[in-house]
């Protein structure tokens, strides 16, 4: 378990907090590109890391991300006029470009140079893979944009969605890294043929946790009755990104997830599905939009999932008795139920009791806490500069038990990603130990 102080250090991400500084040192998702589809279109409210921002696409097609407060008298720029390559405050007409430059103060004297000495708070943006990314850190120390795999693909090969999740970001991140819960929370079954629980050999995995240039690799190994071994390998990429293992035998698309703090009690959850070999087909897009797997079906205006705490996540108790471990429809909504209602929006980790299957959770907490303490000493996380190491895929495959997982991993990444696995990779044992109670 964590101490109360470490739990606060891990979960508080507002301006001036150590973990907030960690997030601000990376490129993070700010909104979907389709939320600002038109040049000179409607501005959009954006909440990130406890800050109130406004996004807009200007006449030239660039996306600006400004602090919502106009520097003049703090009127909200959301009400502004998006026109002629700038956002004009409706209170007194001050106008700002995407980089925060003030280009007009119509009520000031014609010979005034005041506008030349004043700027709005503006953050750099980068569009890639259907997402507008933002960098909220030191403008003189902007890292390279991570080489996410799907951002190299043609249009139609990937699809990005987002949802509002009403809990702290780390409750979702821990769920994405927990390979044990899949065989309970997400289990569908037929009674009495195959029972409620997954087969014995799938319930109790062995873990190998290794530090890598992007963060961690979580390698889960299960010895099957057939004599083969089943591997699930999940990359954790700083500050809060994962690639969820998808079944190679089922030819499923790869899936990226991001847990981005809106504030300390709410987060934006992003999911990207992609394929390298072809565009996503109609069946795959239908599954994404239905919310049956890693994406959530949401209200298009609020991004609140259709299955939510207010309607008990659409739980069906009869289905729970006969065919579903939870009775809740959809993998993502099942996750929402246990994460949003996990002791409230900020879990009291100082009162929990961990087990052996929580090794990846422990390792990630320790990595994140180390990063927070390092920024307190003036050192930014090194992963932010390792852009090429973020071009990853996950792995979920059955293989001969004599096959090294490293060989399977390299084959899965492909020849175009030489940085997928460093030359030397050792388990971080002290990060992965758990005292069971």
């Amino acid at each position: 378990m964590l101490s109360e102080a470490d739990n606060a250090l891990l979960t508080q991400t507002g301006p001036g907090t150590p973990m907030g500084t960690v997030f601000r040192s990376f490129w993070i998702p700010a909104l979907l590109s389709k939320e600002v589809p038109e040049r000179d279109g409607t501005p959009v409210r954006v909440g990130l890391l406890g800050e109130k921002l406004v996004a807009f696409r200007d006449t030239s097609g660039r996306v600006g991300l400004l602090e919502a407060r106009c520097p003049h008298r703090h009127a909200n720029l959301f009400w502004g006029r998006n026109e002629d390559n700038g956002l004009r405050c409706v209170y007194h007409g001050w106008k700002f470009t995407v980089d925060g430059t003030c280009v007009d103060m119509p009520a000031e004297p014609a010979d005034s140079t005041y506008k030349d000495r004043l700027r709005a708070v503006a953050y750099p943006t980068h569009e890639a893979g259907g997402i507008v990314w933002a960098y909220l850190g030191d403008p003189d120390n902007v890292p390279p944009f991570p080489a996410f795999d799907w951002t190299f693909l043609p249009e139609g090969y990937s699809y990005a969605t987002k949802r509002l999740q009403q809990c702290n970001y780390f409750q979702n991140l821990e769920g994405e890294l927990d390979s044990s819960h899949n065989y309970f929370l997400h289990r569908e079954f037929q009674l009495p043929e195959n029972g409620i629980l997954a087969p014995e050999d799938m319930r109790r995995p062995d873990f190998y946790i290794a530090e890598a240039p992007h963060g961690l690799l979580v390698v889960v190994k299960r010895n099957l009755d057939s004599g083969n071994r089943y591997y699930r390998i999940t990359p954790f990429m700083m500050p809060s990104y994962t690639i969820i293992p998808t079944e190679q035998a089922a030819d499923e698309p790869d899936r990226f997830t991001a847990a981005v703090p809106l504030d300390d009690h709410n987060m934006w959850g992003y999911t990207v599905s992609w394929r390298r070999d072809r565009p996503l087909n109609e069946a795959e897009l239908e599954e994404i939009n239905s919310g049956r797997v890693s994406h959530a079906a949401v209200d298009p205006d609020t991004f609140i999932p259709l299955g939510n705490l207010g309607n008990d996540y659409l739980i069906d108790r009869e289905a729970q008795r006969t065919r579903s471990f939870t009775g809740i429809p959809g993998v993502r909504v099942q996750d929402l139920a246990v994460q949003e209602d996990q002791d409230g929006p900020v879990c009291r980790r100082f009162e929990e009791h961990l087990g052996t299957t929580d090794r990846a959770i422990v390792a990630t907490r320790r990595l994140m806490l180390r990063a927070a303490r390092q920024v307190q000493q003036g050192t930014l996380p090194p992963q932010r500069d390792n852009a090429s190491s973020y071009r990853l895929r996950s792995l979920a495959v059955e293989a001969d038990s004599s096959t090294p997982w490293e060989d399977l991993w390299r084959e899965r990444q492909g020849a175009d990603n030489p940085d997928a696995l460093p030359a030397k990779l050792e388990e971080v044992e002290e990060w992965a130990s758990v005292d069971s109670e």
Side-chain angles (χ1 to χ4, degrees), residues 163 165-178 181 185-186 259 267 313 331-347 349:
R163 67 187 181 280
Q165 190 160 329
Q166 298 177 71
C167 64
N168 184 265
Y169 82 98
F170 210 77
Q171 277 155 239
N172 170 249
L173 180 58
E174 289 179 321
E176 304 295 344
L177 290 163
D178 180 357
H181 82 275
L185 182 69
H186 302 317
M267 56 156 278
Y313 303 99
V331 169
R332 179 57 68 189
V333 183
Q334 293 161 4
D335 286 330
L336 286 169
V338 298
Q339 293 167 11
E340 291 186 331
D341 203 18
Q342 187 179 352
D343 189 30
V346 181
C347 181
R349 292 173 178 82

Side-chain angles (χ1 to χ4, degrees), residues 395-413:
L395 182 141
V397 68
E398 180 178 340
D400 187 280
S401 59
S402 64
T403 305
W405 70 265
E406 293 91 340
D407 292 349
L408 297 169
W409 179 250
R410 287 191 179 94
E411 181 181 358
R412 174 67 174 151
Q413 304 316 309

Side-chain angles (χ1 to χ4, degrees), residues 47-310:
L48 281 180
L49 304 176
E51 298 189 35
K52 294 181 179 179
L53 311 172
V54 60
F56 65 102
R57 190 180 297 277
D58 73 4
T59 311
S60 299
R62 300 167 298 185
V63 177
L65 188 66
L66 306 181
E67 183 181 33
R69 299 184 306 166
C70 176
H72 180 203
R73 297 212 348 240
H74 294 181
N76 196 327
L77 290 173
F78 170 74
W79 309 114
R81 298 175 58 87
N82 185 7
E83 58 186 23
D84 192 21
N85 278 323
L87 191 62
R88 187 183 294 276
C89 180
V90 294
Y91 204 0
H92 296 91
W94 291 20
K95 182 179 176 181
F96 304 93
T97 62
V98 294
D99 66 356
T101 300
C102 185
V103 293
D104 194 19
M105 292 180 176
E108 293 299 308
D111 59 351
S112 172
T113 61
Y114 188 22
K115 67 179 176 58
D116 301 326
R117 293 178 278 118
L118 184 143
R119 298 177 69 89
V121 175
Y123 296 116
T125 64
H126 178 85
E127 279 196 89
I131 296 173
V132 178
W133 304 74
Y135 177 72
L136 277 63
D138 180 356
D140 296 323
N141 191 12
V142 181
F145 184 76
F148 296 116
D149 191 56
W150 74 91
T151 62
F152 294 90
L153 300 176
E155 185 175 355
Y157 282 60
S158 66
Y159 193 91
T161 65
K162 84 172 189 179
R163 67 187 181 280
L164 176 65
Q165 190 160 329
Q166 298 177 71
C167 64
N168 184 265
Y169 82 98
F170 210 77
Q171 277 155 239
N172 170 249
L173 180 58
E174 289 179 321
E176 304 295 344
L177 290 163
D178 180 357
S179 277
S180 180
H181 82 275
N182 294 327
Y183 301 100
F184 299 94
L185 182 69
H186 302 317
R187 179 153 172 77
E188 303 288 329
F189 54 84
Q190 296 278 328
L191 289 177
E193 287 85 350
N194 60 3
I196 294 173
L197 295 180
E200 181 79 17
D201 56 6
M202 298 300 283
R203 296 183 219 160
R204 296 182 177 89
D206 294 324
F207 286 82
Y208 181 99
I209 313 295
E211 190 168 9
H214 51 80
L216 297 174
L217 281 180
V218 179
V219 182
V220 180
K221 299 176 281 187
R222 292 174 171 88
N223 294 317
L224 304 179
D225 290 339
S226 64
N228 287 342
R229 186 170 286 161
Y230 181 72
Y231 289 99
R232 282 177 63 89
I233 303 181
T234 305
F236 165 62
M237 300 172 287
M238 290 283 286
S240 58
Y241 311 141
T242 58
I243 310 289
I244 301 304
T246 54
E247 298 287 345
Q248 274 71 81
D251 193 32
E252 295 179 343
D254 290 282
R255 298 189 187 101
F256 163 91
T257 71
V260 183
L262 188 165
D263 53 35
D264 292 347
H265 292 149
N266 300 275
M267 56 156 278
W268 297 111
Y270 287 81
T271 305
V272 180
S273 288
W274 82 96
R275 300 189 64 101
R276 284 180 175 176
D277 56 340
R278 61 167 173 79
L280 295 166
N281 61 35
E282 289 186 11
E284 290 162 339
L285 292 172
E286 191 278 329
E287 183 175 80
I288 289 170
N289 290 315
S290 72
R292 287 195 297 268
V293 189
S294 294
H295 299 257
V298 300
D299 181 300
D301 297 320
T302 64
F303 295 99
I304 295 174
L306 301 183
N308 55 68
L309 184 59

